[in-house]
Amino acid sequence: MKNIVILTGSGISAESGLKTFRSGDGLWLNHKIEDVCTVEAFERNPALVHSFYNELRPIMMKALPNAAHQAITTLQQKLPKLNINIVTQNVDLLHEKAKSKNIYHIHGRIDECVCMNCGHIIKTFADVESDEVCPQCQVQGMLKPNIVFFGEMPQHMSEVDYMLSHCDLFIAIGTSGIVYPAAGFVRQAKFHGAKTYLFNLDPCNNSSLFDEEILGKASQTFPKFARQLINEINRQS
Ligand code: APR
């Protein structure tokens, strides 16, 4: 065992108080996903999209990592000889707050916006407005939350592609397996010989592709698994 890829989705952050995307009423802070998470929505009404992320940003900034995020950090710390990469669909910063390393945000980050004119990325904890001027190119009204909307390419895909084709163990935590390309990562890892595990509250859309499916709250199921894995690998070495 050398390379582990951990794919996380909004379910891992649910126990930190952040709402998942497709739970319950299907609404996110009273908005339909299509009204705030698509390229068309941003073109139609950038002020609405900015105000949505301005509302979400402080909620996400206040959230704290839970035992599942911390167990990933423990895995990385206790198994320093392994390459353990985290590929997250989450725009929150809970893996960073848990002090994990090797984190790839494929759907962007809540603390960044990007200038659509010059590509400059701006770190921001404050509200962003639709008429703001880019500090790099000085063009007004081109700042967009650095969130990958439906209709845009996910980020870091070449690194992720490499990881998946060299992966011995693939673990998905808290993701419904509905949104591609992330939903296809398990297939790619499996094709290259990885053993595949899912830790989710409910069976997910692509459950049949996982060798093992562990249902329950990730804060309970994943730390237990992480402890067993650490013991097993340390016994072998
Ligand atoms: N522990 C483990 N799993 C959980 C928990 C929990 N405590 N709570 C919820 N879940 C599971 C649910 O059973 C569900 O299958 O997390 C999953 C969350 O699924 P989604 O809401 O679809 O979120 P996600 O898979 O991250 O969505 C993918 O879709 O809207 C886009 O870009 C957005 O990154 C997002 C992507």
Side-chain angles (χ1 to χ4, degrees):
M1 169 95 61
K2 203 159 174 275
N3 299 309
I4 301 179
V5 175
I6 302 179
L7 171 70
T8 61
S10 61
I12 194 173
S13 299
E15 292 167 76
S16 295
L18 300 179
K19 218 175 156 190
T20 59
F21 287 88
R22 293 177 182 77
S23 60
D25 52 16
L27 296 176
W28 205 33
L29 293 180
N30 298 320
H31 292 282
K32 283 197 216 148
I33 291 178
E34 310 83 73
D35 290 341
V36 289
C37 275
T38 64
V39 173
E40 294 76 16
F42 189 64
E43 283 167 358
R44 201 168 47 235
N45 193 346
L48 172 76
V49 175
H50 275 299
S51 82
F52 172 77
Y53 287 99
N54 288 343
E55 195 182 340
L56 183 61
R57 193 173 296 111
I59 296 172
M60 287 196 161
M61 299 313 294
K62 270 189 220 129
L64 295 173
N66 63 55
H69 299 99
Q70 275 147 3
I72 297 176
T73 308
T74 307
L75 263 190
Q76 290 182 325
Q77 289 173 347
K78 301 264 178 179
L79 300 173
K81 290 188 188 145
L82 301 192
N83 299 317
I84 304 178
N85 288 300
I86 303 166
V87 178
T88 186
Q89 299 166 88
N90 299 341
V91 301
D92 66 48
L93 304 174
L94 295 181
H95 291 303
E96 284 81 0
K97 285 189 185 170
K99 301 208 180 325
S100 284
K101 295 196 168 71
N102 310 335
I103 307 160
Y104 295 83
H105 282 270
I106 60 170
H107 291 171
R109 297 173 56 130
I110 192 70
D111 63 340
E112 290 178 355
C113 58
V114 58
C115 175
M116 293 181 295
N117 183 55
C118 71
H120 182 60
I121 290 179
I122 299 146
K123 280 263 172 234
T124 176
F125 299 101
D127 285 0
V128 183
E129 306 303 337
S130 51
D131 59 357
E132 253 170 71
V133 172
C134 170
Q136 180 80 13
C137 68
Q138 311 300 324
V139 172
Q140 189 182 28
M142 296 298 275
L143 298 187
K144 170 191 168 294
N146 192 16
I147 306 284
V148 175
F149 292 149
F150 287 100
E152 292 185 306
M153 291 293 279
Q155 301 172 357
H156 306 294
M157 286 312 293
S158 54
E159 291 108 310
V160 172
D161 193 50
Y162 181 86
M163 285 173 216
L164 293 172
S165 52
H166 293 80
C167 167
D168 305 303
L169 174 61
F170 176 86
I171 298 168
I173 308 175
T175 178
S176 57
I178 289 173
V179 174
Y180 280 81
F185 291 170
V186 56
R187 194 185 287 279
Q188 197 177 339
K190 214 171 158 62
F191 176 79
H192 290 282
K195 184 145 172 88
T196 57
Y197 280 79
L198 171 69
F199 294 84
N200 216 41
L201 196 56
D202 317 296
C204 74
N205 195 43
N206 54 2
S207 284
S208 61
L209 292 171
F210 288 90
D211 299 320
E212 306 284 343
E213 180 184 53
I214 296 102
L215 299 183
K217 290 186 172 178
S219 68
Q220 292 165 8
T221 55
F222 188 69
K224 189 169 165 215
F225 170 83
R227 280 194 295 276
Q228 285 166 351
L229 186 64
I230 291 165
N231 289 339
E232 194 184 308
I233 290 176
N234 283 339
R235 240 195 338 264
Q236 285 165 8
S237 57

